[in-house]
Each structure stands twice: as C-alpha cells, then as structure tokens.
Amino acid sequence: MMKSVYKGLTVLLLCLALFCFSSCAVRYETHRSYAMGSYVAVTVPVGTEISPSLSGLAALENEISHRIDGSAVARLNAGECCSPSDRLLRVLCLAEEIGQKTEGRFSIFCLPQTKLWNFDAEHFAPPDADALANALRETENVGFSKTENGLVLTGGALDLGAVGKGLAADVLSELYADADGALISVGGSIAAVGTKNGAPWRVGVRDPFGDGDAILGCLYLSDLAVSTSGNYEKTREHEGERYHHILDAQTGLPAESGLVSVTVVAEDGALTDMLATAGFIVGLDACFALCEEYGARVIAVTEEGEVYASSSLADAFEARTGVTVTFR
Amino acid sequence: MRLRFARWGDLLLVFGVCLIAFVALLLLGSRESGDTVTVYRDNEAIDRFSLSEQAGETRTYQLEEGSVTVRVEADGVSILSSDCPNQSCIKKGRVSRSGDAIVCLPMRFSVVLDGESEYDGVTE
C-alpha cells in the first residue's frame, strides 16, 4: 500500500516538473525607442539588459550620420581624409560595388540630391529643373579613394539613408548574439537572432496595397536579416502629385521601375537594406539577378499587384490566403 | 493485463495531472486580449484604454512638439490628426490586430494594440 503511495507521489512530482518546464518557456518583452530617425523595437527575453543597445545605436549614429558634425561621414563629406571603422569601410565598399552593378542608379553618394528633395521638410515641394541639374552634376562622378592615412571622397557626398537601418539592426543583433533569441527592428529593417523558443521568428511582410496593418505573408527567419523598400513608405504630396523617396541617382527623380515593394532576405542587414533599395530602383528582372549575385533572396510586388519570390524562399515564406506568389 | 512499473491508478494520476496542466496553460496563455490599447511617448506608457469601452471617442495628447489625436473604434484605432510634418501616421490608417502599432516618428509617439501578435515583427 505504502509503496503505491510513494510511486504515486513520484509520478505527481514528475508531472509537476514537466508542467513547470513547459510553462517556463522563455518569455519575451518588446522595448520601444527612437534612434537614428527610426522607430526601434527590440524583442528580447524578459529581464535582458537593454541599455547597451541604445548606446550602441547612439555610437553608430555618431559615426554614420551626415547631420552630426564630426561624424566620420560628415568629415568625409567635408573633404577630409578619414580612416573609418572596419564596419563603415565594409559598407562603403559594398555600396560602391552595388552602385557599379546598377550603373550608378543606386548610390549612397547622392546627398546633394536627397538634400534637394528634403522629404522631411515641413512644406514639401519637388526641386525645380535647374536645381536638379546642378545636383546631378555634383553627383556625376562619385566614389572614394584609399590613401595612406585613410579614405577621401572623390566626388558626391555620403547619405547612408539606404543602409543605416539595416546596419543598425546588424549592430544590435551582435549585442544580443548570446541571448536566448532576439528580434530587432529598426524602422522596418529586421534582424532575427536565434529562435523564439526553438521556432523561427515570424516576420510579416507588409502588403503595399493593403490597409495600415495588412500583411502579404509571413517569413520564418532564424539568424537572418530582412529589409523592405517600398514606394508607399515615405511619400509627400505637392499640388495633387505624390512623390516617393527612393531616388534613381541617374535621373535624380523618384524611381519608376514598375515595382511597388522589394523585400530582401540575407544574413547581413546592411546588405539587405541596400539590395532592397537597389532592387526597387532597377526593376523586377535586374532586381532578382542582383540579389542572386549576393546570395540574397527576394520578394517583389509589381504595380499590377503580382508577387514574385525567389524559389529558395518557398520553405521560408508563407503567403496570406488569397495572395498568389510566383516563385522564380 | 499487469503493468510492471506502475499501476493503472498511477497512469490515471499522470493523465489527470497532465490534463490539469494543459487547462492551466490554456487559461494562462489566453490572458492577453487585443482589446487594450497602450499609448507610448518614447518607451513610456502615457495612456491605456479599452477599445470596446472607449469606442467612438477621440483622445488628444499634448506633447512638446504639438498634439496628436487618436480615434478609437470598437474594432481598431487610428491617428486622426498630428502636428508632425510628414503625416505618415495618418496615412497608415487603422490598425486592428493585436500586437500592431501606429508610430508617429517625429513625435516619438506610438499607439500599440496590446496582446500577442501573429507576427513577431513586420518588415516595411
């Protein structure tokens, strides 16, 4: 009789242990903040120290913002010779390479153009033809050269707007590399670190034609980054005409390539950010070819509402019911 | 049939405890609903209200940079007006799914539908 009671107790204890274990799955919390002109959401296990991420972003901004006096980018723009961090140097080299592959249509050396358009202005107006022609002349021959003491810009001026968010997501994901999973979002550029309780992170892809929270489908990501460029994202109106903010550096005008949104998945956030912008500018076919060169995967939505995705995303992307995806 | 390591009573006990655990998990897991909205300035919650109770209301927040007005409906929330330059928070329209948010970047202001979202993040 006693034996049976002991056995029963043992089983009960085991079950309690099992219950505790199953309900002790990692719980996550989301910290919201604003940095680098973006909304930052960091989802980490409850109790994770969050302050390093804010100082990390501040340090990055002090390095790459052209608006901050004394930043590496501001010094380069002022014509100074400057030895950038390895991180910035890598981004500059990659950006220059993508610029060449897109025949100069993607460029991070086009501050004169973005300044002229000033999409953040209180009262927006598109630039007049003369001013635009001037800006195009200033950005005709862009690039940098390496000297003994560092880098010097050989033309144009840097605006890292097309890479900053992805780069910031990279910086933060490094900080949480040892956490029990983390999801970093900097203005819609996302880095998925590890898993969420053993399952990939679920990242919605915004539906460019839908309402504010409409989703095209879900990406299942682990240790990957994703960025999206869309013409719905930042638009301004003037005299009934709508202008979006992704400029084709060869014309100095908002890019019209038949695409409304491009989402790129790869390991490196800075790369996904740049490829999403570059892919948006060059159009469907060139976008897929470009991403393939970098081993990145892509989802592109055309003006007609067609959705194309890399065939290598077939397992990682689940479209919402009613959305037809052509894998290519 | 005789069992070597346990009696039928023990198995029944195991089953019973597992059932209780399962029901407890369900109850604990369903605590968060999508009805509550939290309004943040930076990372600080400055207001919290229920959609169903406050439906039909507009709520205005006075911030250093100007004011933001939020419209509450039974099935969602939207930003009606904001003194920000780009007005993208208004263009965002209404959000209705738990976990979704509207962000007004220039005002460092966000309206979040509480609760577990279907997605951990959204790329846009």
Side-chain angles (χ1 to χ4, degrees), chain A residues 110-114 116 129-140:
Chain A
C110 285
L111 181 63
Q113 292 179 21
T114 52
L116 189 61
D130 284 348
L132 192 60
N134 271 335
L136 281 173
R137 257 195 304 279
E138 281 178 60
T139 51
E140 213 165 3

Side-chain angles (χ1 to χ4, degrees), chain A residues 7-8 11-12 15 19 32 34 37-39 183 188 190 196 201-204 206 212-213 215 228 235-236, chain B residues 5 13-14 17 21 43 85 91-92 95-97 100 103 105 108-109 112 116 118-124:
Chain A
K7 255 189 205 166
V11 171
L12 186 71
C15 286
F19 169 70
R32 299 173 177 79
Y34 298 83
S38 301
Y39 178 62
L183 194 79
I190 288 179
K196 185 187 190 186
W201 291 94
R202 300 171 55 94
V203 177
R206 168 92 183 266
D213 55 357
I215 294 294
T228 298
T235 60
R236 297 300 297 268
Chain B
F5 301 110
L13 193 68
V14 172
V17 171
N43 197 26
K91 286 179 209 146
K92 171 102 179 168
V95 294
S96 52
R97 257 197 335 255
D100 277 332
V103 179
L105 202 54
R108 304 198 313 282
F109 178 90
V112 181
E116 195 75 20
E118 199 180 331
Y119 304 100
D120 301 310
V122 174
T123 176
E124 53 192 350

